[in-house]
Amino acid sequence: MSLLVVDNLSLSIHGTPILKDVSMKVDPGRILGVIGESGSGKSMTAFSVLHLLPNGADLSGNISLAGQDILSCSEQQLCGIRGRDVGMVFQEPMTALNPLQTIGAQVAETILIHERVPKAEALARAAEALRRAELPEEKFPLSRYPHELSGGQRQRVVIAMAIALRPKLLIADEPTTALDVTTQAQILALLKRLVAEDGMGLMLISHDLAVVADLADDLVIMRRGEIVESGAAQHLFRNMRHPYSRALLEASGHVPERATSARTMPLLRLQNVVREYESHVHGWWGRTDRFRAVDEVSFEIRKGESLGLVGESGCGKSTLTRAILGLEEIQGGEILLDGKSVASDHQANRDVCRRMQVVFQDPYGSFNPRWRVDRLITEPFHLLDDPPRGSVREAAIVEALESVGMTADDSDKYIHEFSGGQRQRIAIARALIIRPELIILDEAVSALDVSVRAQVLDLLADLGDRFGLTYLFISHDLSVVRSITERVLVMKSGRIVEEGPTDRVFDRPQHDYTKQLVAATPVLPADVA
């Protein structure tokens, strides 16, 4: 008997159709992968199972959980089901956790809501749930707060909350999107182990086929609120028939085309760069230690080259990026762009910095939502001694937008009016508008759907050829770095531990750390159709 049965589920919100005749099932001890791009209806299907829908929602069809009709349940009955029979793991753990409560209190809260037990017993069971989520109390006391944990550790806390009452069904909505490859592999292995131990069903929602390739027993592929293809995972990978499924498969392994030529002239050179921070032990009046985030880093980027920098969270990538941009003062070594230092007299060299721009991971978070696009993309003009005005300024805006596939009419809109991929295009237009020589891309495509990611990578390759751009591509996603870079650096604990041509480093890694990263990278089955 199936644990969860969704039959002909349709959903509209204020008359707008969201889901249409969606049918799927999850069996005990099995993992169902629900795949699709943003807006395909994956999350709304999951929220329908829990009946967590906004006002104006009109739901029809059937949802059965262990034989119980969910759509006929009262709100009181649903409150008893949520958390007890069905656990939920959300995409962004920091927003799912209360920053003012300890991790022990938050996991125990799940137990106390559903069961009348003493607080001491709830905390003991919370400690057990955290241990099962690989956060043992001897290393991670219940008194810790979310901000004291890494991203992967916070996601484990969310998983502990979801499994504290050993639910029949676990729903994980993009649980690894923001995590580096090794942490992602650990979280996926943890979910698989918990399914095996508890015999529960798992609905794993993702936009990336490669993430669920080795995990899911069954697959459902969604597009615009409908299921376009479904079946056993191994069979479906070998026999995909729908054009949308094929497009997702091709986008997952997409490699942009870029002109190749000899790249010998160095543009950016780092020599023995050191960046340290002071940390206070035992309070402000205690002993002062120094933490070295960037440790004697040396490398160069040649003009027109695309160089990758990979490593786990906390390895020093972002600190190094800020130092290159002149935003962090270094304590040793030098950073030169075309022979000129990026900083002097304890401040950034303006003449050098105008030749570099950056594209951030979250395009929405890097824009002021109160400004129109024309003002947003002209922010770099403050680096120019004589910024363009009037018709020249308007022409520069139009040229920048059209170069990234947007239109002149988009300049009068606000950033919330665009999709994630369009926002990232606008972020690239902002970086291009003063014609820099070096663009640093800091996790610039990690939050995008695979098809949108492929489009943005194609755009970057095209812009690089057209404008002779040099890229420093920083990412924890090795598959993306492999597809767009010519050389790659591997960073661990503030040091470069391996470097070389991208294909050589990934195909024949020499350092143990690189081998771990490559082994943890999700890949599609070798025999996909």
Side-chain angles (χ1 to χ4, degrees):
M1 178 180 176
S2 295
L3 173 63
L4 174 72
V5 177
V6 178
D7 187 30
N8 292 323
L9 182 69
S10 294
L11 170 68
S12 63
I13 300 177
H14 295 296
T16 301
I18 306 297
L19 301 175
K20 182 181 178 181
D21 296 329
V22 171
S23 297
M24 62 180 70
K25 66 177 183 177
V26 183
D27 293 332
R30 289 181 69 85
I31 300 173
L32 172 69
V34 182
I35 308 298
E37 297 174 292
S38 298
S40 64
K42 309 184 303 293
S43 295
M44 293 309 297
T45 302
F47 292 149
S48 297
V49 171
L50 292 167
H51 222 284
L52 294 173
L53 298 171
N55 293 330
D58 183 16
L59 197 62
S60 64
N62 297 287
I63 302 175
S64 172
L65 178 69
Q68 184 175 11
D69 184 0
I70 295 296
L71 298 188
S72 66
C73 289
S74 65
E75 181 61 24
Q76 184 176 2
Q77 289 174 311
L78 288 169
C79 287
I81 292 171
R82 299 174 190 137
R84 186 193 66 199
D85 296 325
V86 182
M88 184 82 181
V89 179
F90 295 96
Q91 177 175 353
E92 176 45 62
M94 201 58 181
T95 59
L97 296 172
N98 187 333
L100 302 179
Q101 285 192 344
T102 63
I103 61 173
Q106 294 188 65
V107 179
E109 182 181 30
T110 303
I111 300 167
L112 291 169
I113 286 173
H114 291 278
E115 298 183 11
R116 292 184 178 181
V117 297
K119 187 175 181 180
E121 180 183 334
L123 286 171
R125 290 169 63 181
E128 172 61 14
L130 287 165
R131 184 195 63 76
R132 294 188 69 218
E134 299 172 0
L135 294 176
E137 189 175 4
E138 57 269 21
K139 292 184 178 180
F140 303 93
L142 301 184
S143 57
R144 283 199 179 181
Y145 288 87
H147 72 269
E148 298 179 274
L149 304 176
S150 69
Q153 290 163 355
R154 286 194 288 263
Q155 194 63 289
R156 293 175 190 274
V157 175
V158 175
I159 292 172
M161 293 170 63
I163 65 165
L165 291 168
R166 296 183 181 256
K168 301 170 184 174
L169 174 68
L170 184 65
I171 300 174
D173 190 359
E174 301 276 11
T176 62
T177 298
L179 304 179
D180 53 58
V181 288
T182 52
T183 306
Q184 173 179 264
Q186 293 165 7
I187 294 297
L188 294 176
L190 169 62
L191 291 172
K192 188 173 184 178
R193 177 175 64 78
L194 292 172
V195 168
E197 288 178 356
D198 293 353
M200 64 182 175
L202 172 61
M203 180 189 294
L204 179 63
I205 296 170
S206 178
H207 64 258
D208 194 339
L209 280 165
V211 168
V212 300
D214 288 333
L215 199 67
D217 300 301
D218 305 287
L219 281 181
V220 165
I221 300 177
M222 296 188 68
R223 179 176 184 260
R224 296 178 182 175
E226 297 183 76
I227 293 177
V228 299
E229 204 155 6
S230 63
Q234 295 305 314
H235 174 78
L236 196 59
F237 273 120
R238 291 191 294 269
N239 299 279
M240 283 186 177
R241 294 289 179 263
H242 195 279
Y244 179 71
S245 305
R246 302 289 306 176
L248 284 181
L249 194 63
E250 291 169 7
S252 296
H254 180 71
V255 178
E257 293 183 6
R258 190 175 182 189
T260 57
S261 59
R263 311 184 197 279
T264 57
M265 295 293 293
L267 175 65
L268 180 73
R269 177 171 291 169
L270 281 73
Q271 187 67 38
N272 299 325
V273 172
V274 173
R275 177 61 173 121
E276 293 182 332
Y277 296 97
E278 286 189 354
S279 61
H280 297 279
V281 182
H282 304 304
W284 291 105
W285 307 110
R287 177 170 53 87
T288 299
D289 278 353
R290 299 190 71 84
F291 169 69
R292 183 165 287 195
V294 178
D295 190 5
E296 300 283 346
V297 168
S298 300
F299 65 86
E300 67 177 32
I301 307 178
R302 302 162 194 148
K303 289 184 179 180
E305 184 181 32
S306 185
L307 178 70
L309 177 62
V310 302
E312 295 174 293
S313 299
C315 71
K317 303 189 305 292
S318 295
T319 301
L320 184 60
T321 302
R322 292 193 296 270
I324 292 171
L325 293 167
L327 302 176
E328 293 265 6
E329 187 174 0
I330 59 176
Q331 284 78 43
E334 59 180 4
I335 303 175
L336 304 174
L337 185 76
D338 240 0
K340 297 179 180 179
S341 177
V342 301
S344 57
D345 296 328
H346 305 289
Q347 62 181 5
N349 186 331
R350 194 160 170 262
D351 290 335
V352 173
C353 289
R354 72 181 58 167
R355 298 168 64 186
M356 298 185 289
Q357 285 294 300
V358 62
V359 178
F360 297 100
Q361 176 177 356
D362 179 7
Y364 192 76
S366 63
F367 287 127
N368 187 329
R370 294 185 175 89
W371 292 357
R372 288 196 301 252
V373 167
D374 59 347
R375 184 175 179 184
L376 290 172
I377 69 171
T378 55
E379 281 186 280
F381 281 168
H382 79 277
L383 292 169
L384 304 179
D385 294 328
D386 185 22
R389 295 177 175 82
S391 61
V392 178
R393 179 180 182 275
E394 296 302 316
I397 292 170
V398 172
E399 183 183 8
L401 287 173
E402 290 182 345
S403 68
V404 298
M406 306 297 286
T407 67
D409 294 337
D410 293 325
S411 64
D412 293 326
K413 298 177 181 177
Y414 291 90
I415 201 66
H416 71 268
E417 300 179 67
F418 298 94
S419 68
Q422 290 171 325
R423 290 172 191 158
Q424 201 60 292
R425 288 175 181 266
I426 294 169
I428 295 169
R430 176 174 61 183
L432 281 175
I433 200 163
I434 60 172
R435 293 298 178 89
E437 297 174 49
L438 172 66
I439 294 182
I440 300 174
L441 299 125
D442 190 1
E443 302 282 7
V445 297
S446 63
L448 302 179
D449 295 324
V450 287
S451 59
V452 178
R453 181 180 72 191
Q455 294 168 12
V456 172
L457 292 177
D458 280 339
L459 171 64
L460 291 170
D462 176 60
L463 292 172
D465 293 338
R466 275 195 284 157
F467 299 119
L469 298 172
T470 303
Y471 293 130
L472 175 57
F473 209 104
I474 299 168
S475 181
H476 63 254
D477 189 334
L478 272 66
S479 61
V480 169
V481 171
R482 181 166 194 161
S483 71
I484 198 169
T485 63
E486 299 150 34
R487 286 193 305 127
V488 66
L489 310 173
V490 181
M491 195 170 188
K492 181 180 187 293
S493 303
R495 287 180 170 268
I496 304 298
V497 298
E498 189 164 355
E499 61 180 293
T502 303
D503 288 341
R504 197 277 299 162
V505 170
F506 288 161
D507 289 338
R508 299 182 300 279
Q510 304 300 308
H511 196 278
D512 288 342
Y513 178 68
T514 311
K515 293 177 182 177
Q516 292 173 16
L517 292 180
V518 172
T521 302
V523 294
L524 291 168
D527 58 346
V528 294

